[in-house]
Amino acid sequence: MAISATDAADRVDQLIVLTERLTELIALDAQAFEQRRPQDAAANIEETSRLANVYRHESARVRANPALIAGAPLAQRTRLIRATEAFDAVLARQGRALEAAKTVTEGIVKAIADEVASKRATGTGYGQGGVAAPAASATSITLNKRA
């Protein structure tokens, strides 16, 4: 998956279109997470993944060989820089939204695990000789703080 450009100006134009579309998709994803509707982000996941892969590949090519875009007019390269800055800002926004969603999810899972553990910690009744029998020791959920 590579951009097939005829010259530096064409390559920069294609990179701008790619960057702007990827920025738009990631902004929609971030908005979905901010609105606590992660299922809405799933609608564009295939296109986002495909474009992110092309973007990663093409940005690596340009970093390795800046001459690929050096011949483009300054105004066009400046537009690409602005598109990239907007992309970086949206990535940061998405990162914050995902971190918030992760924190909430971890809190919910921990609360459920604590509740299950507290219910299991009570005795199951009286055993032989009138002594309370301990509950079976089992944990239904394992928490990983690195998730």
Side-chain angles (χ1 to χ4, degrees):
M1 281 187 197
I3 291 177
S4 59
T6 57
D7 60 14
D10 185 35
R11 180 174 305 282
V12 171
D13 275 342
Q14 290 181 41
L15 287 171
I16 290 169
V17 169
L18 171 65
T19 304
E20 288 175 345
R21 178 63 181 149
L22 196 52
T23 299
E24 178 185 339
L25 290 170
I26 292 174
L28 289 172
D29 287 353
Q31 183 179 22
F33 282 101
E34 289 164 352
Q35 295 174 350
R36 294 174 180 84
R37 297 188 49 79
Q39 67 276 13
D40 292 351
N44 299 316
I45 197 162
E46 189 174 314
E47 182 181 7
T48 302
S49 295
R50 184 180 58 79
L51 293 180
N53 191 40
V54 173
Y55 182 86
R56 180 188 53 80
H57 177 74
E58 289 302 319
S59 58
R61 285 181 66 194
V62 170
R63 267 193 305 278
N65 185 6
L68 291 171
I69 63 168
L74 178 60
Q76 201 176 19
R77 287 182 286 143
T78 300
R79 188 168 164 227
L80 177 59
I81 290 168
R82 299 295 172 253
T84 303
E85 290 170 346
F87 177 67
D88 289 342
V90 166
L91 281 178
R93 175 183 168 198
Q94 184 190 39
R96 288 188 302 273
L98 289 173
E99 184 62 31
K102 177 182 164 224
T103 300
V104 168
T105 301
E106 286 175 348
I108 291 169
V109 169
K110 183 171 180 353
I112 292 169
D114 290 347
E115 183 65 21
V116 168
S118 74
K119 296 295 181 195
R120 289 193 174 166
T122 60
T124 59
Y126 289 97
Q128 189 174 28
V131 178
S137 175
T139 303
S140 62
I141 299 175
T142 300
L143 297 177
N144 179 351
K145 293 193 181 229
R146 295 182 60 200

